Amino acid sequence: MDHDGTKARPVSAAELFDDLGIAYERAFVRLPAQLAAIDWLTARLDAGARVLDVGSGTGRPAADLLVRAGCDVTGIDVSGGMVALASAQVPGARFEQCDVRAFDAPEGGFDAVCAFFPLLMMSRAEAAAALKRMAGWLAPGGFLVTATVPADVEDVEIVWMGRPVRVSSFSTEEYLRLQREDCGLDVLHHEVSAFTPDGDRAAPENHLFTYARRTAAGKDAVPEA
């Protein structure tokens, strides 16, 4: 409730993350499954690999670790506050305030795309379309590493980190189907794990991490662990 007793309106993604700022980093920077995903990705990328970090937040941990691994990193985020933080904290990457639904990238322009939780405050149709766009930005053989909260929900209001938000998501099975069938990717690994963010208002969350690859032209994909 607001101070006058009325119900607080759900906030937009930009408003939410402008408000959270560095508190978001403190809550999630030690997320084990995310750190493992970044390690997995950097082990498969050459120095200078072009990587897009969608929903780059404060730049930590993803963009920071990718830069340290020698990647050429571009980060996009809807929050101007997050872009300002990321630019200050990770000067070795480029950051732009932009919604993934509006970002203009060339077909096959990136060797990898990271998307850690950026789709949850979209409709399911918008999220599915964004996944397909990201898959198209991959060069042949490129990797898409993602994370989401697996749930069969559409436009549901919840309270997250003390703020009212509206969210949509997919079941694990549907999220994997979207990547395989709609995006044409080979899903090499997926795992659901539980995590409780740091913070007084934090509640346990289920997370789905996926590692996928765009099949190299003329070659069959080889599954990886």
Side-chain angles (χ1 to χ4, degrees), residues 1-49:
M1 295 288 183
D2 287 335
H3 295 303
D4 62 3
T6 60
K7 186 178 180 181
R9 68 169 180 83
V11 296
S12 70
E15 291 171 323
L16 172 66
F17 288 100
D18 279 345
D19 184 36
L20 285 173
I22 202 70
Y24 179 76
E25 177 181 314
R26 292 171 181 153
F28 286 92
V29 73
R30 296 181 181 85
L31 174 54
Q34 184 178 17
L35 297 175
I38 298 166
D39 283 347
W40 181 93
L41 180 62
T42 55
R44 288 159 176 78
L45 295 176
D46 296 329

Side-chain angles (χ1 to χ4, degrees), residues 169-188:
S169 192
F170 305 97
S171 67
T172 296
E173 294 74 19
E174 177 62 9
Y175 191 72
L176 296 175
R177 188 201 67 76
L178 284 169
Q179 292 194 41
R180 289 172 174 143
E181 298 181 16
D182 292 15
C183 299
L185 299 174
D186 293 290
V187 179
L188 307 175

Side-chain angles (χ1 to χ4, degrees), residues 63-64 67 71-75 86-87 90-95:
D64 184 40
V67 167
C71 299
D72 179 7
V73 180
T74 300
S87 297
V90 191
R94 298 175 301 278
F95 296 95

